Amino acid sequence: MTITQPDLSVFETVESEVRSYCRGWPTIFDRAQGSHLTDEDGHTYLDFFAGAGSLNYGHNNPVLKRALIDYIERDGITHGLDMSTTAKRAFLESFQNIILRPRDLPYKVMFPGPTGANSVEAALKLARKVKGRESIVSFTNAFHGMSLGALAVTGNSMKRAGAGIPLVHGTPMPFDNYLDGQVPDFLWFERLLEDQGSGLNKPAAVIVETVQGEGGINVARADWLRELAALCERQDMLLIVDDIQMGCGRTGAFFSFEEAGIVPDIVTVSKSISGYGLPMALTLFKPELDIWEPGEHNGTFRGNNPAFVTAAATLDTYWADGQMEKQTLARGELVESHLKAIVDEHPDAFVEYRGRGLVWGLETVDKELANKIAKRAFELGLLIETSGPQSEVVKLLPALTTTPEELDEGLRTLARAVRDCA
């Protein structure tokens, strides 16, 4: 692909230096459909980024677009705070009937605001209110958002430093395999809890990702998650699963914790819950935890009704028949086979490949290699990002609706980028 240099002057002179993704993809995108984006010069890119997991059903999905256009054209409610609307009712009914009841999940649904960080903040606040304690335990390499409460349970030192103030009331513990299997799971954690001299305040809750996306595609074993749930029950702590990026079918099942057979006390959901990339978030919790006073946690944009419309259409279209999970797992096997071939071809360049469903990572030996591969992939027409504490993991996050042919094309492009850089 020949890429002309676009005029980026207005972005460079007016927009803040905080911008990031655009630095790795120096073009001006104009249109998108399915798994492809097109820039204003007509170059098309295969998207294995999917809005950082917000576009599990692709760009401008035609079924969801039709539902949204019909709703707007009939002058449906756009901004609704927490008022009762037909769009919210349709979503809640679909969510209850298609997602919660078949899984025997009793959760109450809270609309905390439009972003994942809003959902995390609500979860932390509720856990502290229920238990009457301040401390929250998180895990090494966790990422839970950029607001202060979420940063306090996030591991990345660069992101934490941006807070500008001490981040308190959070304690990190080793994530699964952080110590390379040399120490029994939760030995340190439980010893601290039971030792009156440890200095660890009794936590209100533990927050965990089943697969750490920003942390480097670190996959927790189902046994580890089950042991964590049991530990929380023994020690009277609430278990919060952050399913913001790994939920909505990313790992196969609708919720990423289903494979482990656990039922968290609180679940945070955002990114692809709207199905269309519209801002929307949920905080789910067991009914006995619903001790909020009316208006005790609110937000102006928690009633994004167009997002409710596309969310309901997504559930009705993709989750009513049980086929999406099977399709994602099958396509995940295709991705895994390609990544195995890449690692086998370049054994000295990679530590390993790992993932679940349609989220995968390639960890590089040379910490600079992942960024080089991502840059070369862009030049070849493929959008991928990196993750991990040193951006040492090539991260693949294609839409769940990406076809086998598109997956094959993208993975072959990735293999070429690796050959050009490794």
Side-chain angles (χ1 to χ4, degrees), residues 18 44 51 68 131 148 159 171-172 198 267 272 339 348 361-362:
V18 79
T44 298
L68 179 59
K131 292 300 183 183
L148 290 179
K159 292 180 171 64
T171 303
S198 71
V267 183
S272 274
L339 296 186
D348 296 330
L362 275 170

Side-chain angles (χ1 to χ4, degrees), residues 256-277:
S256 70
F257 56 80
E258 291 182 51
E259 179 193 41
I262 61 174
V263 180
D265 298 292
I266 304 175
V267 183
T268 63
V269 179
S270 186
K271 288 197 182 281
S272 274
I273 187 61
S274 80
Y276 202 73

